[in-house]
Amino acid sequence: MNYTEPHVPTPEDIIPTMLSLASVKPGEAVFDLGSGDARIVIVAARDFRARAVGVETRKRLVKASRQKIRELGLSKQASITCRNFKKVSLRKVDVLCTYLSSYTLNLLTPKFMEELRPGARLVNFDYPVPAWKATKEIEVIPKGWTKPHSIYLYVVPATSNN
Ligand SMILES: C[S@@+](CC[C@H](N)C(=O)[O-])C[C@H]1O[C@@H](n2cnc3c(N)ncnc32)[C@H](O)[C@@H]1O
């Protein structure tokens, strides 16, 4: 993978919509691949009572995210792993909540097929997974934005390789 996702944060106000669309339940494992400043991880842990894990390679973001999680008293439910997301197992994930480009989602699709269990959900802002048909797509206009953007939901079918 030569292309590296830049750090472009998800608009704060649509994060609850993404997590609701994925029907996140208390205690579920929610991962954000490329967690940036941990904004998704924090909302998942604090407001949805998920076990939230962020995976991020940029050390500055990892440090700031960990500090924010400590300050918010969320260390029991939320953590940040400083690793390349290609190398992190997704076998125990219930929900992937991400903001990744279609290019990266396409590269990760074989890993999703191999590791995500049937019934796991993937919700991504703005970009679809090229090879998959969305279970649901909704349009949102984030605060301060002018045009509608999509949130895509995918539910891993029982025919995955698990
Ligand atoms: C578009 S930003 C999304 C940030 C965050 N998920 C959000 O929604 O606000 C993508 C993030 O992925 C991180 N990233 C890019 N490639 C990565 C990799 N291979 N492993 C882990 N993180 C990566 C970047 O540093 C960046 O913070």
Side-chain angles (χ1 to χ4, degrees):
M1 195 190 291
N2 294 323
Y3 170 75
T4 305
E5 290 282 331
H7 177 227
V8 182
T10 300
E12 293 264 19
D13 59 307
I14 67 140
I15 294 171
T17 310
M18 292 175 75
L19 294 165
S20 294
L21 186 62
S23 306
V24 172
K25 290 179 262 316
E28 285 197 312
V30 174
F31 277 45
D32 180 4
L33 305 182
S35 50
D37 62 3
R39 58 184 58 202
I40 289 176
V41 169
I42 286 168
V43 176
R46 185 189 59 203
D47 302 340
F48 288 77
R49 291 187 288 131
R51 293 177 288 118
V53 177
V55 183
E56 177 58 58
T57 40
R58 287 189 163 93
K59 291 200 167 61
R60 179 184 59 79
L61 290 168
V62 170
K63 199 173 162 208
S65 297
R66 285 176 175 162
Q67 189 178 333
K68 207 155 133 194
I69 285 167
R70 267 197 308 275
E71 284 168 4
L72 290 167
L74 292 170
S75 300
K76 281 196 180 141
Q77 306 107 277
S79 62
I80 304 296
T81 303
C82 186
R83 286 181 72 192
N84 184 331
F85 51 54
K86 286 186 290 176
K87 302 199 171 146
V88 170
S89 171
L90 306 179
R91 290 186 191 279
K92 294 192 174 157
V93 168
D94 295 302
V95 174
L96 281 179
C97 185
T98 53
Y99 184 14
L100 295 171
S101 67
S102 287
Y103 178 83
T104 297
L105 290 168
N106 197 38
L107 290 175
L108 289 171
T109 297
K111 180 174 173 66
F112 294 157
M113 297 295 287
E114 177 67 28
E115 297 180 14
L116 286 175
R117 60 167 189 78
R121 289 92 81 202
L122 162 60
V123 65
N124 195 65
F125 177 55
D126 223 6
Y127 302 102
V129 180
W132 287 2
K133 185 175 170 356
T135 306
K136 200 162 178 189
E137 175 183 345
I138 63 166
E139 285 194 335
V140 289
I141 305 178
K143 218 174 274 170
W145 295 35
T146 50
K147 292 185 186 150
H149 290 250
S150 289
I151 300 172
Y152 299 90
L153 169 73
Y154 303 88
V155 180
V156 177
T159 49
S160 121
N161 295 338
N162 284 280

